[in-house]
Amino acid sequence: MSKKTVTSITNREIDFSQWYTDIVKKAELIEYSNVKGCIYFKPNGYGIWENIQKIVDSKFKNLGHENVYLPMFIPESLLQKEADHIEGFAPEVAYVTQVGNEVLEERLVVRPTSEVLFCELYKSVLESHRDLPKLYNQWCSVVRWEKTTRPFLRTSEFLWQEGHTVHDSAKEAKAHTLTMLDVYVDLFENYLAVPVIKGIKTEKEKFAGANSTYTIEALMFDGKALQCGTSHFLGNSFAKAFDVTYTDKNNKLKSPYQTSYGISTRSIGSIIMVHGDNNGLVLPPKIAPTQIIIVPIRQNKEIVQEKSLQIKEVLSKLFSVKLDLSDKTPGWKFNEYEMKGIPLRIEIGPKDIENNSCILARRDTGEKTTVSLDNIENTVSNMLDSIQKNMFETARKRRDENIREAHTFDEFTNIIETKQGFVKAMWCGDVACEEKIKEITTASSRCIPFGSSKINDKCVCCGKDATKAVIWGKAY
Amino acid sequence: MSKKTVTSITNREIDFSQWYTDIVKKAELIEYSNVKGCIYFKPNGYGIWENIQKIVDSKFKNLGHENVYLPMFIPESLLQKEADHIEGFAPEVAYVTQVGNEVLEERLVVRPTSEVLFCELYKSVLESHRDLPKLYNQWCSVVRWEKTTRPFLRTSEFLWQEGHTVHDSAKEAKAHTLTMLDVYVDLFENYLAVPVIKGIKTEKEKFAGANSTYTIEALMFDGKALQCGTSHFLGNSFAKAFDVTYTDKNNKLKSPYQTSYGISTRSIGSIIMVHGDNNGLVLPPKIAPTQIIIVPIRQNKEIVQEKSLQIKEVLSKLFSVKLDLSDKTPGWKFNEYEMKGIPLRIEIGPKDIENNSCILARRDTGEKTTVSLDNIENTVSNMLDSIQKNMFETARKRRDENIREAHTFDEFTNIIETKQGFVKAMWCGDVACEEKIKEITTASSRCIPFGSSKINDKCVCCGKDATKAVIWGKAY
């Protein structure tokens, strides 16, 4: 069978998991590696990540971040210095034990995250309160050996950014944690068109070693939750464990307060699962590597080629545009670029040219419109804006419709069994209830959302007094 | 001792190696890691790499490259498929043998380079001649466990780009190899201001598994050579070993011809060792993370602060500018930013303001000029151009003066012992002579330069007929 034939994909309402696998392969985002849970990012997949990087890097730099690069290897003894941290990561780290023919004296851990390395770096960098705050960020890959893996969502190696900062006060560090959470909200909602709920993680779900973990949670088309980004207030426990100090204004030795935060290539998974449909991937214009595909009709006519090239030239000044002049049929091309999720298709043939027009086909709604070639760049620009907006609104509407309140445990289990989606329910704060809910319903606490109003006064699990409204859901 | 005090560095004429170590630390480019040969890239160091990435990535994309990302782990059996390749890399690869508590069935090699992975990817991507050529590139870190390490020049882990392409014909692939070598020449000469000699490597020095290796070689201030970038024509031996095929125009199954090429963070080492002086680092304007530092004189005067900020605002539209308003003395600041290699310093005090002028101090020559504040952006722009040009010309003159012809073996050893630099000498083509020269003089063949004229007809080592003029040198 030809690798390039556009073949149909599994129906997403019938087998969502297979549909996802079909998309990542047929939209040519990845290939599977022979190494468990590792993937090859192909140009279509990596191009999305490059766009996300550009957006995030620029936002980070505007906020005063500087990029650094730290080693991928952590001596085992170093990772063990912060007890909670190592406990959280030990089961899933990869160890380098040998180099050439030589067995190493101390095993090296391939970084699962770099808190301990940033502590080492800050130790050598910090001297006085004048050096604070310092906002460092790193783009790299990290390794966490997971039992169950799936492209983008959970891979043995993944790409991410990890921000790590040091501050003079807990207050400032906490505020920064929230500032960065908002940067992630902005990225997901305004660029990836993925609506998110922001809140704080419970003690059980927080990052290993953190004081508190803030999160953004999104709802996928199948009703499952995806944690899209986290921002941690670390207190000064890492700094203390690693002897990171500076002299404050009163010339006293102090440990700085730290934060860390990250988003990863998992974000690509969220785009697929929020926007994709039965024709393939659907990419928001703001992060699509190719925003517009031009498909000429009866391209053997000279005028059609000429006009197509002309339109391409005009639009390329403002957008990322491709023109397909291959000998495939227009129908084949339509399917192919729908599969790849290109937000806007321009069809142009002899008849259109006679009328000084072309056809715009939106990927999000499938709608076709005949428009004038005059001022085509404005028309296209408006349509891309409209696609971006519509994709977000559609996703938000679906998400909102799938947040359901549960006042009793029966209601809770019933929602999870019959409807999926997010469940909003009160919680007493006892980890025993949280664990029981997870055990029985398989739904975990996603977050305690900011500014969320109470729906009643009793824990949905034990019936005791409860003040916290929690968002629960089955999660990836 | 304060980490931040500007302290003098070792004189580069007295102890070049210590001078280099002083620079990388005191210009705050890196910190050493506890893991042998690994380094922490600090913002000043990583910022240079980010600029190099921007330049190279844009040139690559203009030539039709697409970026991908491949796993960092290679199953040992996969690396062993191409015999020469594994033989070259086996002694220096790092092995992951355990994950959590589980010992892996097959060891994983942390990539030392990714030829074998690109073969796996191309195998799944290629179908027909219409898919060719494909130009993929990857930005990543690779691991090669070296016995002797030095920051940037030879590190256990380093950052690089690796381009990997597949072509329909050997001719096209070879031409591409040379095109990419010229991209590297352009980068080094026109951005890093590092003059290079381009040529082909001898059989002995070529890349493990390559058909032929092209290289650019630069001369460091201490007279030693640095290989700055290589571009390999791989023939189709990898493709055959890995079963990469496509159907050609006649519908026959063929193996494509491949190339690969890379430059790494070693390039930062070349900048240090070509341009640095006894006051510290000297950065070419085109890749300096900060191009201009403004140092106010008597900054407690309001007018000085005002004017400094105003100049900063004007220049920031075109250049990367910093203004130091800290309470350090101007003298301290002069030293500090000279150490960090910032190409241009602007000094401005009350007297200058009275005269509507400021002082420009060039980092390359140390020359100070009083210039008008009118049209300061043009004046600064011209001066940065002049610095860039002067840095290249100075380096080129020194390099040219340090290429010496050797007609006899005595001349050869004498040059290496007394003068260092490059030696140009004829070679019969026999690896025995090449090895003998290296053993006795410690100079290795750097390359057979393109278009280099013969200096006589006899091999400098054995006296037999020789047609190849080779550039030799002690190398990093």
Side-chain angles (χ1 to χ4, degrees), chain A residues 10 109 127 153 162 199 331 333 392 427 462 474:
Chain A
T10 305
V109 171
E127 189 183 345
L153 300 179
E162 45 179 325
K333 292 176 190 175
F392 178 72
W427 176 55
C462 67
K474 288 191 191 182

Side-chain angles (χ1 to χ4, degrees), chain B residues 158-208:
Chain B
F158 58 89
L159 302 172
W160 78 344
Q161 62 64 218
E162 46 179 323
H164 293 263
T165 67
V166 276
H167 304 262
D168 195 25
S169 73
K171 193 179 160 193
E172 184 187 296
K174 265 186 207 166
H176 184 72
T177 312
L178 293 173
T179 298
M180 298 318 294
L181 193 70
D182 281 338
V183 170
Y184 293 156
V185 172
D186 181 25
L187 170 74
F188 275 82
E189 300 207 326
N190 300 325
Y191 295 84
L192 314 192
V194 170
V196 293
I197 295 174
K198 58 176 184 169
I200 186 167
K201 286 279 184 191
T202 62
E203 284 295 302
K204 175 174 157 30
E205 298 288 337
K206 74 179 189 187
F207 177 74

Side-chain angles (χ1 to χ4, degrees), chain A residues 70-311:
Chain A
L70 275 47
M72 73 155 81
F73 297 128
I74 306 175
E76 193 176 4
S77 57
L78 195 65
L79 196 65
Q80 286 166 339
K81 276 196 182 177
E82 217 285 344
D84 290 340
H85 192 60
I86 180 66
E87 201 190 314
F89 284 104
E92 58 191 40
V93 296
Y95 294 99
V96 170
T97 58
Q98 185 170 343
V99 169
N101 286 320
E102 178 201 348
V103 174
L104 295 176
E105 276 181 33
E106 179 177 10
R107 299 194 296 185
L108 301 174
V109 171
V110 183
R111 66 180 159 221
T113 178
S114 305
E115 272 71 13
V116 307
L117 295 177
F118 274 91
C119 283
E120 287 287 290
L121 179 57
Y122 279 127
K123 197 154 108 178
S124 79
V125 165
L126 295 189
E127 189 183 345
S128 94
H129 60 93
R130 282 186 214 90
D131 301 326
L132 295 173
K134 278 243 179 288
L135 318 179
Y136 285 170
N137 178 59
Q138 163 168 272
W139 293 95
C140 66
S141 83
V142 291
V143 170
R144 299 178 189 176
W145 224 260
E146 307 266 8
K147 291 223 163 28
T148 315
T149 61
R150 183 171 296 187
F152 302 125
L153 300 179
R154 205 170 280 278
T155 49
S156 305
E157 180 190 6
F158 58 89
L159 300 172
W160 79 344
Q161 64 63 221
E162 45 179 325
H164 294 264
T165 68
V166 276
H167 304 262
D168 197 24
S169 73
K171 191 179 162 196
E172 184 186 297
K174 264 187 209 166
H176 183 73
T177 312
L178 293 173
T179 299
M180 298 319 293
L181 193 71
D182 280 338
V183 170
Y184 294 156
V185 172
D186 182 25
L187 170 74
F188 275 82
E189 300 208 325
N190 299 325
Y191 295 85
L192 313 192
V194 170
V196 293
I197 294 173
K198 57 176 184 168
I200 187 167
K201 287 278 184 192
T202 62
E203 284 296 302
K204 173 172 156 35
E205 298 287 337
K206 75 178 186 187
F207 177 73
N211 214 301
S212 47
T213 289
Y214 300 92
T215 181
I216 52 173
E217 303 279 331
L219 189 69
M220 304 299 103
F221 182 82
D222 64 343
K224 283 169 85 173
L226 189 75
Q227 175 182 304
C228 292
T230 48
S231 184
H232 317 291
F233 169 59
L234 301 176
N236 59 9
S237 61
F238 276 95
K240 284 182 172 167
F242 288 85
D243 263 333
V244 185
T245 57
Y246 68 98
T247 52
D248 71 3
K249 279 169 191 148
N250 307 316
N251 219 24
K252 283 198 175 155
L253 218 54
K254 270 187 66 177
S255 298
Y257 291 87
Q258 293 180 280
T259 81
S260 68
Y261 35 92
I263 56 134
S264 74
T265 36
R266 168 172 260 213
S267 51
I268 301 173
S270 77
I271 297 168
I272 300 171
M273 293 197 293
V274 168
H275 304 301
D277 64 21
N278 284 326
N279 294 324
L281 185 63
V282 184
L283 291 172
K286 283 197 188 168
I287 51 96
T290 304
Q291 297 174 299
I292 300 161
I293 178 72
I294 304 173
V295 178
I297 315 292
R298 298 187 63 190
Q299 67 189 32
N300 53 340
K301 293 208 179 249
E302 203 176 308
I303 180 78
V304 173
Q305 291 221 8
E306 247 175 45
K307 208 71 189 174
S308 301
L309 284 163
Q310 206 182 310
I311 294 172

